[in-house]
Amino acid sequence: MTTQVAPFRADHVGSLLRPERIHKARKDFSEGTISKEELYNIETEEITKIVDKQIEVGLQAVTDGEFRRRFWHTDFLECLNGVEGYVPETGYIFKGMETERYNVRNNGKISFDKNHPHVKEFIEFKEIVNGRAVAKQTIPSPNQLFHEDIRNHEVYPNFEDFKNDVIKAYQDALQAFYDAGCRYLQLDDVYIAGLSAPDLEFNGEFSREESINHALEVINGVLENKPEDLVVTTHLCRGNYRSTWAFEGSYGIIAPTLLAKEKVDGFFLEYDDDRSGDFVPLQHIPNGGARVVLGLFTSKSGELEDKETIKARIQEATQYVPLEQLCISPQCGFASTHHGNELTEDEQWAKLKYIVDIAKEVWG
């Protein structure tokens, strides 16, 4: 049984390892030896190659690998009106590692800029795909703007005003991508996955429960007027930086609210190791509701998972969600930042093909 509607039986989160040619071009551009246009053209050529490669391994949805971005989230967010990028004193602390220091902050009233570069880039990307597969767009979730250090309290003394402007900006963003031809869009959300981390401390304005409820209001507010034939999914990520992670814990704390009530078409959930917890939170997914993409394959190493173990885990998940509502993918992208995870491009492609092959065996 195959599915012709996204998310697909074999899908992937989005980012792909940047080839050495892009790393070199970025370095050359920063040193002033090539122009911005030359860098852009090199990125376009490399995106064309990885679109072909994704189709070759059998994926029904393809991405641009996020090849034009430095980070999975900041490149999009800093191009919103009222948001700027900056270098903080410290990066995020991941398991045994500090991330590269770069973040965004609110510096004015937030709105979507109709000239946002990601929309133009999507139009060109869709032309490259040329109907051979579904062109999937990934953007950071609006909830990423609700980390405590982002909102400017002088610009937004009232939280509700901030929340409403973020919702409106993202409603406009979804419509802009739709008008550009996008029919499959993914919201990447570390923030709401973090709300399920048991050791997360809440010393700020709101409690964990209030924050979970706000997150639900934001997503469902953004989706309120979305075109019916635009598929929107959420990827709940626990951090992915050079094969390390930020936090652990099952989705149990957020599941009764967010997994049960988010009006998305699918959830990409991380289930690649023990820190992910069990499948019990899936009991909150409405029967016949959102598809659940089980991230049973790790993007953090090139080793292929045991096929029989994967099949057994899919079967285990059917205790909570029917098989026809399930799909499989890596737990995250292969390069959430320009640095990439600790595996080779060949290992990345082998893993994606492996996922496609197992999906065919399970669903036909």
Short mmCIF file of all heavy atoms in Angstrom, two decimals, residues 88-152:
data_model
loop_
_atom_site.label_atom_id
_atom_site.label_comp_id
_atom_site.label_asym_id
_atom_site.label_seq_id
_atom_site.Cartn_x
_atom_site.Cartn_y
_atom_site.Cartn_z
N PRO A 88 25.56 36.01 19.87
CA PRO A 88 25.45 36.09 21.33
C PRO A 88 26.77 35.73 22.01
O PRO A 88 27.73 35.32 21.35
CB PRO A 88 24.38 35.04 21.65
CG PRO A 88 24.50 34.03 20.55
CD PRO A 88 24.98 34.77 19.33
N GLU A 89 26.82 35.89 23.33
CA GLU A 89 28.05 35.58 24.07
C GLU A 89 28.33 34.09 24.12
O GLU A 89 29.49 33.67 24.22
CB GLU A 89 27.95 36.16 25.49
CG GLU A 89 28.02 37.68 25.53
CD GLU A 89 28.00 38.22 26.94
OE1 GLU A 89 28.19 37.43 27.89
OE2 GLU A 89 27.79 39.43 27.10
N THR A 90 27.27 33.28 24.07
CA THR A 90 27.45 31.82 24.05
C THR A 90 26.49 31.19 23.05
O THR A 90 25.44 31.77 22.73
CB THR A 90 27.17 31.18 25.44
OG1 THR A 90 25.82 31.48 25.83
CG2 THR A 90 28.13 31.71 26.50
N GLY A 91 26.86 30.01 22.57
CA GLY A 91 25.95 29.24 21.73
C GLY A 91 25.07 28.38 22.61
O GLY A 91 25.08 28.49 23.84
N TYR A 92 24.29 27.50 21.99
CA TYR A 92 23.51 26.53 22.76
C TYR A 92 24.44 25.41 23.22
O TYR A 92 25.38 25.04 22.52
CB TYR A 92 22.37 25.96 21.91
CG TYR A 92 21.26 26.95 21.65
CD1 TYR A 92 21.09 27.52 20.38
CD2 TYR A 92 20.38 27.32 22.66
CE1 TYR A 92 20.08 28.44 20.14
CE2 TYR A 92 19.37 28.24 22.42
CZ TYR A 92 19.22 28.79 21.16
OH TYR A 92 18.23 29.70 20.93
N ILE A 93 24.16 24.90 24.41
CA ILE A 93 24.98 23.82 24.93
C ILE A 93 24.33 22.49 24.58
O ILE A 93 23.24 22.17 25.05
CB ILE A 93 25.17 23.93 26.46
CG1 ILE A 93 25.76 25.31 26.80
CG2 ILE A 93 26.07 22.81 26.96
CD1 ILE A 93 27.07 25.65 26.10
N PHE A 94 24.99 21.75 23.70
CA PHE A 94 24.53 20.41 23.31
C PHE A 94 25.33 19.38 24.10
O PHE A 94 26.20 19.74 24.90
CB PHE A 94 24.72 20.21 21.80
CG PHE A 94 23.57 20.72 20.97
CD1 PHE A 94 23.07 22.00 21.15
CD2 PHE A 94 22.99 19.91 20.02
CE1 PHE A 94 22.01 22.46 20.39
CE2 PHE A 94 21.92 20.37 19.25
CZ PHE A 94 21.43 21.64 19.44
N LYS A 95 25.04 18.13 23.90
CA LYS A 95 25.72 17.06 24.62
C LYS A 95 27.22 17.13 24.35
O LYS A 95 27.68 16.72 23.29
CB LYS A 95 25.15 15.71 24.17
CG LYS A 95 25.68 14.51 24.95
CD LYS A 95 25.14 14.46 26.35
CE LYS A 95 25.55 13.17 27.04
NZ LYS A 95 25.15 13.14 28.44
N GLY A 96 27.96 17.70 25.30
CA GLY A 96 29.41 17.76 25.18
C GLY A 96 29.94 18.77 24.20
O GLY A 96 31.11 18.73 23.82
N MET A 97 29.10 19.74 23.76
CA MET A 97 29.54 20.67 22.72
C MET A 97 28.72 21.96 22.77
O MET A 97 27.52 21.94 23.05
CB MET A 97 29.36 20.00 21.35
CG MET A 97 29.91 20.79 20.18
SD MET A 97 29.62 19.94 18.60
CE MET A 97 30.66 18.50 18.78
N GLU A 98 29.38 23.08 22.51
CA GLU A 98 28.69 24.36 22.35
C GLU A 98 28.51 24.61 20.86
O GLU A 98 29.44 24.44 20.08
CB GLU A 98 29.50 25.49 22.98
CG GLU A 98 28.84 26.86 22.84
CD GLU A 98 29.74 28.02 23.26
OE1 GLU A 98 30.74 27.76 23.98
OE2 GLU A 98 29.46 29.16 22.85
N THR A 99 27.32 25.02 20.46
CA THR A 99 27.08 25.28 19.04
C THR A 99 27.75 26.58 18.61
O THR A 99 28.11 27.42 19.44
CB THR A 99 25.57 25.38 18.74
OG1 THR A 99 25.05 26.55 19.39
CG2 THR A 99 24.83 24.16 19.22
N GLU A 100 27.90 26.74 17.31
CA GLU A 100 28.40 28.01 16.78
C GLU A 100 27.51 29.14 17.28
O GLU A 100 26.28 29.00 17.33
CB GLU A 100 28.40 27.96 15.25
CG GLU A 100 28.99 29.21 14.62
CD GLU A 100 28.98 29.18 13.10
OE1 GLU A 100 29.05 28.08 12.51
OE2 GLU A 100 28.91 30.26 12.50
N ARG A 101 28.13 30.25 17.62
CA ARG A 101 27.38 31.36 18.24
C ARG A 101 26.67 32.20 17.18
O ARG A 101 27.29 33.00 16.49
CB ARG A 101 28.33 32.22 19.08
CG ARG A 101 28.93 31.44 20.24
CD ARG A 101 29.97 32.23 21.01
NE ARG A 101 30.60 31.37 22.00
CZ ARG A 101 31.49 31.79 22.89
NH1 ARG A 101 31.88 33.07 22.88
NH2 ARG A 101 32.02 30.94 23.76
N TYR A 102 25.40 31.98 17.07
CA TYR A 102 24.56 32.81 16.20
C TYR A 102 23.11 32.59 16.60
O TYR A 102 22.72 31.47 16.92
CB TYR A 102 24.75 32.45 14.71
CG TYR A 102 24.25 33.56 13.80
CD1 TYR A 102 24.99 34.71 13.62
CD2 TYR A 102 23.02 33.47 13.16
CE1 TYR A 102 24.54 35.75 12.81
CE2 TYR A 102 22.55 34.49 12.36
CZ TYR A 102 23.31 35.63 12.18
OH TYR A 102 22.85 36.66 11.40
N ASN A 103 22.34 33.67 16.62
CA ASN A 103 20.93 33.55 17.01
C ASN A 103 20.15 34.72 16.42
O ASN A 103 20.70 35.53 15.68
CB ASN A 103 20.80 33.52 18.55
CG ASN A 103 19.58 32.73 19.01
OD1 ASN A 103 18.62 32.56 18.26
ND2 ASN A 103 19.62 32.23 20.23
N VAL A 104 18.88 34.79 16.74
CA VAL A 104 18.04 35.89 16.29
C VAL A 104 17.38 36.55 17.50
O VAL A 104 17.26 35.95 18.57
CB VAL A 104 16.94 35.43 15.30
CG1 VAL A 104 17.56 34.89 14.02
CG2 VAL A 104 16.01 34.41 15.93
N ARG A 105 16.97 37.81 17.31
CA ARG A 105 16.23 38.52 18.37
C ARG A 105 15.25 39.49 17.72
O ARG A 105 15.41 39.91 16.57
CB ARG A 105 17.20 39.26 19.29
CG ARG A 105 18.04 40.32 18.61
CD ARG A 105 19.13 40.83 19.52
NE ARG A 105 20.06 41.70 18.78
CZ ARG A 105 21.26 42.04 19.22
NH1 ARG A 105 21.70 41.58 20.39
NH2 ARG A 105 22.04 42.83 18.51
N ASN A 106 14.26 39.82 18.48
CA ASN A 106 13.19 40.73 18.05
C ASN A 106 13.68 42.18 18.21
O ASN A 106 14.14 42.58 19.26
CB ASN A 106 11.97 40.44 18.93
CG ASN A 106 10.85 41.43 18.80
OD1 ASN A 106 10.21 41.75 19.80
ND2 ASN A 106 10.59 41.93 17.62
N ASN A 107 13.57 42.94 17.11
CA ASN A 107 14.01 44.35 17.19
C ASN A 107 12.98 45.33 16.63
O ASN A 107 13.28 46.49 16.38
CB ASN A 107 15.35 44.52 16.47
CG ASN A 107 15.24 44.30 14.95
OD1 ASN A 107 14.25 43.74 14.47
ND2 ASN A 107 16.25 44.73 14.21
N GLY A 108 11.76 44.85 16.41
CA GLY A 108 10.70 45.72 15.89
C GLY A 108 9.41 44.92 15.75
O GLY A 108 9.36 43.75 16.13
N LYS A 109 8.38 45.54 15.23
CA LYS A 109 7.12 44.84 15.03
C LYS A 109 7.29 43.74 13.99
O LYS A 109 7.84 43.98 12.91
CB LYS A 109 6.02 45.81 14.58
CG LYS A 109 5.61 46.81 15.67
CD LYS A 109 4.88 46.11 16.81
CE LYS A 109 4.36 47.09 17.83
NZ LYS A 109 3.69 46.43 18.97
N ILE A 110 6.81 42.55 14.31
CA ILE A 110 7.04 41.38 13.46
C ILE A 110 5.96 41.27 12.38
O ILE A 110 4.76 41.37 12.67
CB ILE A 110 7.08 40.10 14.31
CG1 ILE A 110 8.37 40.10 15.16
CG2 ILE A 110 7.03 38.85 13.45
CD1 ILE A 110 8.48 38.96 16.13
N SER A 111 6.43 41.04 11.15
CA SER A 111 5.50 40.75 10.04
C SER A 111 6.29 40.00 8.97
O SER A 111 7.52 39.95 8.99
CB SER A 111 4.90 42.04 9.46
OG SER A 111 5.91 42.86 8.89
N PHE A 112 5.56 39.40 8.03
CA PHE A 112 6.21 38.68 6.94
C PHE A 112 6.54 39.65 5.82
O PHE A 112 5.70 40.44 5.39
CB PHE A 112 5.30 37.56 6.41
CG PHE A 112 5.96 36.72 5.36
CD1 PHE A 112 6.96 35.82 5.68
CD2 PHE A 112 5.60 36.85 4.02
CE1 PHE A 112 7.59 35.06 4.72
CE2 PHE A 112 6.22 36.09 3.04
CZ PHE A 112 7.23 35.19 3.40
N ASP A 113 7.77 39.59 5.34
CA ASP A 113 8.22 40.44 4.24
C ASP A 113 7.89 39.74 2.92
O ASP A 113 8.35 38.63 2.66
CB ASP A 113 9.74 40.64 4.36
CG ASP A 113 10.28 41.62 3.32
OD1 ASP A 113 9.60 41.85 2.30
OD2 ASP A 113 11.40 42.13 3.53
N LYS A 114 7.08 40.38 2.09
CA LYS A 114 6.66 39.75 0.83
C LYS A 114 7.85 39.48 -0.10
O LYS A 114 7.75 38.69 -1.04
CB LYS A 114 5.60 40.59 0.12
CG LYS A 114 6.02 41.97 -0.30
CD LYS A 114 4.88 42.70 -1.00
CE LYS A 114 5.13 44.15 -1.31
NZ LYS A 114 6.42 44.52 -1.84
N ASN A 115 8.98 40.11 0.17
CA ASN A 115 10.19 39.86 -0.62
C ASN A 115 11.13 38.87 0.07
O ASN A 115 12.33 38.83 -0.23
CB ASN A 115 10.92 41.18 -0.88
CG ASN A 115 10.10 42.14 -1.72
OD1 ASN A 115 9.54 41.74 -2.74
ND2 ASN A 115 10.01 43.38 -1.29
N HIS A 116 10.59 38.07 0.98
CA HIS A 116 11.41 37.10 1.70
C HIS A 116 12.16 36.21 0.70
O HIS A 116 11.55 35.62 -0.18
CB HIS A 116 10.53 36.24 2.61
CG HIS A 116 11.28 35.50 3.67
ND1 HIS A 116 12.20 34.52 3.37
CD2 HIS A 116 11.27 35.59 5.03
CE1 HIS A 116 12.72 34.04 4.50
NE2 HIS A 116 12.18 34.68 5.52
N PRO A 117 13.50 36.10 0.85
CA PRO A 117 14.27 35.36 -0.16
C PRO A 117 13.89 33.89 -0.28
O PRO A 117 14.03 33.30 -1.37
CB PRO A 117 15.72 35.51 0.33
CG PRO A 117 15.63 35.94 1.76
CD PRO A 117 14.36 36.71 1.87
N HIS A 118 13.39 33.28 0.78
CA HIS A 118 13.05 31.86 0.71
C HIS A 118 11.93 31.58 -0.28
O HIS A 118 11.85 30.48 -0.84
CB HIS A 118 12.64 31.33 2.09
CG HIS A 118 13.81 31.01 2.98
ND1 HIS A 118 14.97 31.75 2.99
CD2 HIS A 118 13.98 30.05 3.92
CE1 HIS A 118 15.81 31.24 3.89
NE2 HIS A 118 15.24 30.20 4.45
N VAL A 119 11.04 32.56 -0.50
CA VAL A 119 9.94 32.36 -1.45
C VAL A 119 10.49 32.33 -2.87
O VAL A 119 10.16 31.43 -3.67
CB VAL A 119 8.86 33.46 -1.29
CG1 VAL A 119 7.77 33.29 -2.34
CG2 VAL A 119 8.26 33.40 0.12
N LYS A 120 11.35 33.28 -3.19
CA LYS A 120 12.00 33.30 -4.52
C LYS A 120 12.80 32.01 -4.73
O LYS A 120 12.77 31.41 -5.81
CB LYS A 120 12.91 34.52 -4.62
CG LYS A 120 13.81 34.57 -5.85
CD LYS A 120 14.68 35.83 -5.82
CE LYS A 120 15.73 35.82 -6.93
NZ LYS A 120 16.86 34.91 -6.65
N GLU A 121 13.52 31.60 -3.70
CA GLU A 121 14.33 30.38 -3.79
C GLU A 121 13.45 29.15 -4.02
O GLU A 121 13.82 28.24 -4.76
CB GLU A 121 15.15 30.20 -2.50
CG GLU A 121 16.27 31.22 -2.38
CD GLU A 121 16.85 31.31 -0.96
OE1 GLU A 121 16.50 30.45 -0.12
OE2 GLU A 121 17.64 32.23 -0.70
N PHE A 122 12.25 29.14 -3.39
CA PHE A 122 11.36 27.99 -3.60
C PHE A 122 10.88 27.93 -5.05
O PHE A 122 10.80 26.84 -5.63
CB PHE A 122 10.14 28.04 -2.66
CG PHE A 122 9.20 26.90 -2.93
CD1 PHE A 122 9.45 25.64 -2.41
CD2 PHE A 122 8.10 27.05 -3.77
CE1 PHE A 122 8.63 24.55 -2.70
CE2 PHE A 122 7.27 25.98 -4.07
CZ PHE A 122 7.54 24.73 -3.53
N ILE A 123 10.56 29.08 -5.62
CA ILE A 123 10.10 29.11 -7.02
C ILE A 123 11.16 28.49 -7.94
O ILE A 123 10.85 27.66 -8.80
CB ILE A 123 9.77 30.56 -7.45
CG1 ILE A 123 8.53 31.06 -6.68
CG2 ILE A 123 9.53 30.64 -8.96
CD1 ILE A 123 8.26 32.55 -6.82
N GLU A 124 12.42 28.85 -7.71
CA GLU A 124 13.51 28.31 -8.53
C GLU A 124 13.70 26.82 -8.25
O GLU A 124 13.95 26.03 -9.17
CB GLU A 124 14.79 29.09 -8.24
CG GLU A 124 14.71 30.54 -8.70
CD GLU A 124 15.96 31.33 -8.38
OE1 GLU A 124 16.94 30.74 -7.88
OE2 GLU A 124 15.96 32.55 -8.63
N PHE A 125 13.58 26.44 -6.99
CA PHE A 125 13.71 25.03 -6.60
C PHE A 125 12.63 24.18 -7.28
O PHE A 125 12.90 23.11 -7.83
CB PHE A 125 13.64 24.92 -5.08
CG PHE A 125 13.42 23.53 -4.56
CD1 PHE A 125 14.32 22.51 -4.82
CD2 PHE A 125 12.31 23.24 -3.77
CE1 PHE A 125 14.13 21.23 -4.33
CE2 PHE A 125 12.10 21.97 -3.27
CZ PHE A 125 13.01 20.96 -3.56
N LYS A 126 11.40 24.69 -7.27
CA LYS A 126 10.28 23.94 -7.88
C LYS A 126 10.51 23.77 -9.39
O LYS A 126 10.16 22.74 -9.96
CB LYS A 126 8.96 24.66 -7.61
CG LYS A 126 7.73 23.83 -7.91
CD LYS A 126 6.48 24.49 -7.33
CE LYS A 126 5.27 23.58 -7.47
NZ LYS A 126 4.84 23.37 -8.84
N GLU A 127 11.13 24.76 -10.02
CA GLU A 127 11.45 24.64 -11.44
C GLU A 127 12.49 23.54 -11.67
O GLU A 127 12.43 22.80 -12.66
CB GLU A 127 11.97 25.98 -11.97
CG GLU A 127 10.87 27.03 -12.13
CD GLU A 127 11.41 28.40 -12.49
OE1 GLU A 127 12.66 28.54 -12.63
OE2 GLU A 127 10.62 29.35 -12.63
N ILE A 128 13.43 23.41 -10.75
CA ILE A 128 14.44 22.34 -10.85
C ILE A 128 13.76 20.97 -10.72
O ILE A 128 14.06 20.04 -11.48
CB ILE A 128 15.52 22.51 -9.76
CG1 ILE A 128 16.37 23.75 -10.03
CG2 ILE A 128 16.41 21.26 -9.67
CD1 ILE A 128 17.29 24.14 -8.88
N VAL A 129 12.83 20.86 -9.78
CA VAL A 129 12.12 19.58 -9.57
C VAL A 129 11.28 19.24 -10.79
O VAL A 129 11.21 18.09 -11.23
CB VAL A 129 11.25 19.64 -8.30
CG1 VAL A 129 10.49 18.33 -8.11
CG2 VAL A 129 12.11 19.94 -7.06
N ASN A 130 10.62 20.26 -11.34
CA ASN A 130 9.90 20.14 -12.62
C ASN A 130 8.89 19.00 -12.64
O ASN A 130 8.80 18.24 -13.60
CB ASN A 130 10.92 19.98 -13.77
CG ASN A 130 10.30 20.20 -15.13
OD1 ASN A 130 9.30 20.92 -15.26
ND2 ASN A 130 10.85 19.56 -16.15
N GLY A 131 8.15 18.85 -11.54
CA GLY A 131 7.06 17.88 -11.50
C GLY A 131 7.49 16.43 -11.34
O GLY A 131 6.65 15.53 -11.34
N ARG A 132 8.79 16.18 -11.19
CA ARG A 132 9.27 14.79 -11.08
C ARG A 132 9.03 14.21 -9.69
O ARG A 132 9.10 13.00 -9.49
CB ARG A 132 10.77 14.74 -11.43
CG ARG A 132 11.07 15.07 -12.89
CD ARG A 132 12.57 15.13 -13.12
NE ARG A 132 13.20 16.23 -12.40
CZ ARG A 132 14.48 16.26 -12.05
NH1 ARG A 132 15.27 15.22 -12.32
NH2 ARG A 132 14.99 17.31 -11.43
N ALA A 133 8.80 15.07 -8.71
CA ALA A 133 8.52 14.67 -7.33
C ALA A 133 7.79 15.83 -6.68
O ALA A 133 7.56 16.86 -7.32
CB ALA A 133 9.82 14.36 -6.59
N VAL A 134 7.42 15.67 -5.43
CA VAL A 134 6.80 16.77 -4.69
C VAL A 134 7.90 17.64 -4.10
O VAL A 134 8.80 17.14 -3.42
CB VAL A 134 5.88 16.23 -3.57
CG1 VAL A 134 5.35 17.38 -2.71
CG2 VAL A 134 4.74 15.43 -4.16
N ALA A 135 7.85 18.94 -4.37
CA ALA A 135 8.85 19.87 -3.85
C ALA A 135 8.44 20.29 -2.43
O ALA A 135 7.43 20.96 -2.25
CB ALA A 135 8.94 21.10 -4.75
N LYS A 136 9.23 19.87 -1.47
CA LYS A 136 8.91 20.12 -0.06
C LYS A 136 9.71 21.32 0.46
O LYS A 136 10.92 21.41 0.24
CB LYS A 136 9.24 18.88 0.77
CG LYS A 136 9.08 19.02 2.27
CD LYS A 136 9.43 17.70 2.96
CE LYS A 136 9.37 17.81 4.46
NZ LYS A 136 9.67 16.52 5.12
N GLN A 137 9.02 22.22 1.15
CA GLN A 137 9.66 23.39 1.75
C GLN A 137 9.72 23.21 3.27
O GLN A 137 8.72 22.85 3.89
CB GLN A 137 8.88 24.66 1.41
CG GLN A 137 9.38 25.91 2.09
CD GLN A 137 10.73 26.38 1.56
OE1 GLN A 137 11.06 26.16 0.40
NE2 GLN A 137 11.52 27.03 2.41
N THR A 138 10.89 23.46 3.85
CA THR A 138 11.02 23.41 5.31
C THR A 138 11.29 24.82 5.84
O THR A 138 12.09 25.55 5.26
CB THR A 138 12.18 22.49 5.74
OG1 THR A 138 13.41 23.01 5.23
CG2 THR A 138 11.98 21.07 5.21
N ILE A 139 10.61 25.17 6.93
CA ILE A 139 10.88 26.45 7.60
C ILE A 139 10.80 26.22 9.11
O ILE A 139 10.15 25.28 9.56
CB ILE A 139 9.89 27.58 7.18
CG1 ILE A 139 8.45 27.23 7.54
CG2 ILE A 139 10.02 27.90 5.70
CD1 ILE A 139 7.45 28.37 7.29
N PRO A 140 11.46 27.06 9.89
CA PRO A 140 11.34 26.91 11.35
C PRO A 140 9.91 27.21 11.80
O PRO A 140 9.23 28.06 11.23
CB PRO A 140 12.32 27.95 11.89
CG PRO A 140 12.48 28.95 10.80
CD PRO A 140 12.34 28.18 9.52
N SER A 141 9.48 26.52 12.81
CA SER A 141 8.15 26.75 13.38
C SER A 141 8.04 28.17 13.96
O SER A 141 9.03 28.70 14.47
CB SER A 141 7.90 25.74 14.49
OG SER A 141 6.80 26.12 15.29
N PRO A 142 6.86 28.75 13.93
CA PRO A 142 6.68 30.06 14.60
C PRO A 142 7.03 29.99 16.08
O PRO A 142 7.44 30.99 16.68
CB PRO A 142 5.20 30.37 14.38
CG PRO A 142 4.55 29.06 14.05
CD PRO A 142 5.59 28.29 13.33
N ASN A 143 6.91 28.79 16.67
CA ASN A 143 7.21 28.66 18.10
C ASN A 143 8.68 28.91 18.41
O ASN A 143 9.03 29.16 19.57
CB ASN A 143 6.77 27.29 18.60
CG ASN A 143 5.28 27.22 18.80
OD1 ASN A 143 4.68 28.14 19.35
ND2 ASN A 143 4.65 26.15 18.35
N GLN A 144 9.55 28.84 17.41
CA GLN A 144 10.96 29.14 17.66
C GLN A 144 11.16 30.57 18.14
O GLN A 144 12.16 30.89 18.77
CB GLN A 144 11.78 28.91 16.39
CG GLN A 144 11.91 27.44 15.98
CD GLN A 144 12.50 26.57 17.07
OE1 GLN A 144 11.90 25.60 17.50
NE2 GLN A 144 13.68 26.95 17.56
N LEU A 145 10.20 31.45 17.85
CA LEU A 145 10.30 32.85 18.29
C LEU A 145 9.88 33.03 19.75
O LEU A 145 9.92 34.15 20.27
CB LEU A 145 9.46 33.74 17.38
CG LEU A 145 10.02 33.91 15.95
CD1 LEU A 145 8.99 34.55 15.04
CD2 LEU A 145 11.31 34.73 15.96
N PHE A 146 9.49 31.94 20.40
CA PHE A 146 9.01 32.06 21.79
C PHE A 146 10.05 31.61 22.82
O PHE A 146 9.75 31.55 24.00
CB PHE A 146 7.69 31.31 21.95
CG PHE A 146 6.57 32.01 21.23
CD1 PHE A 146 6.34 31.78 19.88
CD2 PHE A 146 5.79 32.95 21.87
CE1 PHE A 146 5.34 32.45 19.19
CE2 PHE A 146 4.78 33.64 21.19
CZ PHE A 146 4.56 33.38 19.85
N HIS A 147 11.27 31.33 22.37
CA HIS A 147 12.35 31.13 23.33
C HIS A 147 12.51 32.43 24.13
O HIS A 147 12.38 33.53 23.59
CB HIS A 147 13.66 30.80 22.60
CG HIS A 147 13.70 29.40 22.08
ND1 HIS A 147 13.90 28.31 22.89
CD2 HIS A 147 13.58 28.91 20.82
CE1 HIS A 147 13.90 27.20 22.16
NE2 HIS A 147 13.70 27.54 20.90
N GLU A 148 12.82 32.29 25.40
CA GLU A 148 12.79 33.43 26.33
C GLU A 148 13.67 34.61 25.91
O GLU A 148 13.36 35.75 26.22
CB GLU A 148 13.22 32.96 27.73
CG GLU A 148 12.09 32.31 28.50
CD GLU A 148 12.50 31.94 29.92
OE1 GLU A 148 13.40 32.60 30.48
OE2 GLU A 148 11.93 30.99 30.46
N ASP A 149 14.76 34.35 25.22
CA ASP A 149 15.71 35.43 24.93
C ASP A 149 15.42 36.17 23.62
O ASP A 149 16.23 36.98 23.19
CB ASP A 149 17.14 34.86 24.90
CG ASP A 149 17.27 33.67 23.94
OD1 ASP A 149 16.23 33.16 23.48
OD2 ASP A 149 18.42 33.27 23.65
N ILE A 150 14.29 35.92 22.99
CA ILE A 150 14.04 36.51 21.67
C ILE A 150 13.13 37.73 21.71
O ILE A 150 13.44 38.76 21.12
CB ILE A 150 13.49 35.43 20.69
CG1 ILE A 150 14.59 34.40 20.40
CG2 ILE A 150 12.98 36.08 19.40
CD1 ILE A 150 14.18 33.29 19.46
N ARG A 151 12.01 37.66 22.39
CA ARG A 151 11.06 38.78 22.40
C ARG A 151 11.67 40.01 23.06
O ARG A 151 12.26 39.94 24.13
CB ARG A 151 9.79 38.36 23.15
CG ARG A 151 8.78 39.48 23.37
CD ARG A 151 7.56 38.93 24.08
NE ARG A 151 6.94 39.91 24.96
CZ ARG A 151 6.43 39.65 26.15
NH1 ARG A 151 6.46 38.41 26.63
NH2 ARG A 151 5.88 40.60 26.87
N ASN A 152 11.50 41.16 22.40
CA ASN A 152 11.93 42.45 22.94
C ASN A 152 10.77 43.05 23.72
O ASN A 152 9.75 43.42 23.15
CB ASN A 152 12.35 43.37 21.78
CG ASN A 152 12.91 44.69 22.25
OD1 ASN A 152 12.45 45.27 23.22
ND2 ASN A 152 13.92 45.16 21.53
#
